[in-house]
Amino acid sequence: MLSIAIGSDHAGYPLKEKIKDFLISKGYKVIDFGAQSKDSTDYPLFARDVCLSIQKDEAQMGILVCGTGIGMSITANKFKGIRAALCLNEYMARMSRKHNNANVLCLGDRIVGDDLALSIVEAWLSTGFEGGRHERRIKLIEEIEDML
Ligand code: RB5
């Protein structure tokens, strides 16, 4: 079973906890990098820890939650090999896996309700990468990463 690294700031903490319970109930191994409360904190710290754990292959996928999901996605996409997708619905979640092979899902606690968020998580985890022409595009992203 996959290991999934999760993280949030204070704004994403309530949804992050619900996602953690959901993932555990589905049998995933969850590595929780915090936050552990609603006390104000800084989202880049948690995006960093989740992405580093994927780079080290401790986790194969990551889920990050902040107020909008925007700060998490901006930060996560700075990391080599990380393809973070901010998804607002199940269609975006499925397409981010099929076409972009996203390995990090970003969600906004202030944007999506809990039920929709869990449905997005389920769609994201149950969809695979299609490969083919999309593989060539991922390789181009990797070439760009190597230029940085
Ligand atoms: C925190 O107020 C908020 O700025 C943060 O959770 C996130 O939405 C940033 O992108």
Side-chain angles (χ1 to χ4, degrees), residues 9-12 41 43 65-72 110:
D9 67 356
H10 54 288
T41 184
Y43 60 82
V65 191
C66 63
T68 58
I70 295 170
M72 288 299 197
R110 296 172 180 161

Side-chain angles (χ1 to χ4, degrees), residues 12-84:
Y13 169 74
L15 178 56
K16 188 261 290 174
E17 290 299 294
K18 292 189 178 84
I19 292 171
K20 179 163 66 175
D21 293 344
F22 176 77
L23 294 174
I24 290 169
S25 79
K26 297 282 179 191
Y28 291 100
K29 181 175 172 229
V30 176
I31 310 172
D32 183 357
F33 286 96
Q36 300 302 349
S37 77
K38 289 190 196 173
D39 294 344
S40 183
T41 184
D42 302 317
Y43 60 82
L45 303 173
F46 306 95
R48 175 199 64 195
D49 289 349
V50 163
C51 292
L52 288 175
S53 93
I54 295 170
Q55 286 183 329
K56 288 187 269 183
D57 204 32
E58 292 166 356
Q60 288 72 52
M61 301 180 100
I63 299 176
L64 290 166
V65 191
C66 63
T68 58
I70 295 170
M72 288 299 197
S73 62
I74 290 172
T75 310
N77 279 311
K78 302 286 181 200
F79 287 78
K80 192 174 162 75
I82 297 298
R83 294 174 298 277

